[in-house]
Amino acid sequence: MAFPASWRTPRQKDGVDLINARPVRHPWRYVIAIVILYIAVCVVDGFRTNENFHWDVVGEYLFDRMVIKALGWTLLLTVVAMALGIVLAVALALMRQSANPLAKWVANLWIWFFRGTPVYTQLLFWGLVATLYPTFTIGLPFGGPTFVSFETQKFYSAAVAAILGLGLNESAYLAEIFRAGFQSLPKGQFEAAASLGLPRRRTMWNVILPQAMRVIIPPTGNELIGMLKSTSLVLAVPFTFELTYVTNSVANRLYLPVPMLMVAAIWYIIITSVLMVGQHFLEKKFGKGVSV
């Protein structure tokens, strides 16, 4: 009589033969590992021996003063635009969950517009704001009195335009990530906090947000890395101090595009690696008691 498969004792568990109490050998694992190692060595050797990469030029410009300055501007754009996007995204996510139909409609319209148009097109628009509105005025509409009026170019620079373009576009995507994080928690969390007499603001800040971070952090980390690479589009503003623009300018002067592309790629990989390490520790912190 044959017993069902679910009744049978498994023969292997965690790579150990439970019947003979000895490790199970997997020769194909070694074969695959050798093949992968061989391919990796060939790729590295191909990069190293190919003179067309001009590694001497890469080493010369990797820590060049202009490149380091452009790297600083790239990091500044990324951090400030991401901070703006996070603040707006939290507000939009709360508005989408609000019982106020007007707040919900405005949030939906915001997300629909900024997700529905390319970021490059948005950057072009923000770069032309000073041209479209040369004078900034605050007053009553429909011909009413003007309280404050000044030239837009006095406070509206290319850096401001780049931050607005990147931050507002990012807020639409982060809003959906935050909303998913908030909705991942059961309604009993809100009810338990209300039974303790906590106001809604403290409930969101002290109860909901710390638990939702477990869901929010991974996609937000991906968006931060995407934001870092999206800074290469701020040429549309135009903002000419960004890393990709500076390395391309040097490449055009030297007539050597490949080594300068490698310089930009190396710095992007370094920064992305640091961000991934930070994301790992944040996930580990907020995932305590849940991760396996």
Side-chain angles (χ1 to χ4, degrees), residues 1 22-23 59 62 68 86 151 161 164 170 190 195 221 225 239 243 254 259 263-264:
M1 177 180 178
R22 63 184 181 184
L62 188 62
I68 297 300
I86 289 174
E151 294 182 6
L164 284 176
E170 189 62 36
F190 293 92
S195 66
I225 294 172
F239 185 82
L243 180 60
L254 299 176
V263 169

Side-chain angles (χ1 to χ4, degrees), residues 35 37 57-58 68 83-84 153 156 196 212 216 267 271 281:
V35 172
L37 181 62
V57 178
V58 174
I68 297 300
L84 175 62
Q153 292 182 347
Y156 192 80
L196 295 175
I216 291 173
W267 278 118
I271 300 172
F281 284 106

Side-chain angles (χ1 to χ4, degrees), residues 24-43:
V24 179
R25 301 184 183 278
H26 299 280
W28 282 106
R29 292 182 180 177
Y30 300 103
V31 174
I32 294 174
I34 292 173
V35 172
I36 294 175
L37 181 62
Y38 171 76
I39 295 175
V41 170
C42 291
V43 171

Side-chain angles (χ1 to χ4, degrees), residues 128 134 154 167 181 213 247 269 273:
L128 295 172
K154 289 184 177 181
M213 291 296 287
T247 53
I269 290 174
S273 301

Side-chain angles (χ1 to χ4, degrees), residues 61-263:
Y61 283 93
L62 188 62
F63 297 98
D64 183 77
R65 181 180 60 86
M66 292 179 57
V67 173
I68 297 300
K69 182 179 178 180
L71 178 64
W73 274 108
T74 299
L75 291 174
L76 181 63
L77 288 178
T78 302
V79 172
V80 177
M82 195 68 183
L84 175 62
I86 289 174
V87 172
L88 292 175
V90 172
L92 290 170
L94 295 177
M95 289 170 65
R96 288 205 64 182
Q97 293 185 301
S98 173
N100 187 335
L102 179 60
K104 186 178 296 187
W105 182 83
V106 170
N108 287 333
L109 181 63
W110 180 286
I111 294 171
W112 167 78
F113 176 78
F114 284 101
R115 290 176 66 186
T117 53
V119 62
Y120 189 80
T121 303
Q122 295 174 31
L123 287 169
L124 284 172
F125 172 80
W126 290 111
L128 295 172
V129 164
T131 304
L132 295 172
Y133 302 96
T135 304
F136 184 83
T137 59
I138 299 177
L140 297 179
F142 306 109
T146 299
F147 305 133
V148 180
S149 178
F150 47 86
E151 294 182 6
T152 305
Q153 292 182 347
K154 289 184 177 181
F155 73 96
Y156 192 80
S157 63
V160 174
I163 290 171
L164 284 176
L166 294 174
L168 297 183
N169 177 78
E170 189 62 36
S171 67
Y173 294 92
L174 289 177
E176 291 297 275
I177 293 174
F178 287 3
R179 183 174 66 90
F182 295 153
Q183 292 182 346
S184 67
L185 301 179
K187 293 183 178 180
Q189 298 286 338
F190 293 92
E191 296 171 356
S195 66
L196 295 175
L198 291 177
R200 183 173 178 82
R201 184 180 63 179
R202 288 194 59 189
T203 299
M204 292 298 301
W205 185 257
N206 297 333
V207 179
I208 302 302
L209 190 58
Q211 298 182 72
M213 291 296 287
R214 176 177 56 86
V215 178
I216 291 173
I217 286 176
T220 302
N222 292 336
E223 290 295 322
L224 178 59
I225 294 172
M227 170 73 76
L228 172 68
K229 291 177 285 188
S230 294
T231 56
S232 61
L233 300 175
V234 296
L235 175 62
V237 171
F239 185 82
T240 58
F241 301 104
E242 184 269 333
L243 180 60
T244 301
Y245 180 86
V246 170
T247 53
N248 285 341
S249 299
V250 176
N252 293 335
R253 188 176 73 246
L254 299 176
Y255 297 101
L256 293 173
V258 174
M260 297 312 300
L261 287 175
M262 296 303 297
V263 169

Side-chain angles (χ1 to χ4, degrees), residues 214 280 283-284 286-292:
R214 176 177 56 86
H280 168 74
E283 290 182 12
K284 189 174 181 180
F286 287 99
K288 290 180 179 179
V290 179
S291 303
V292 293

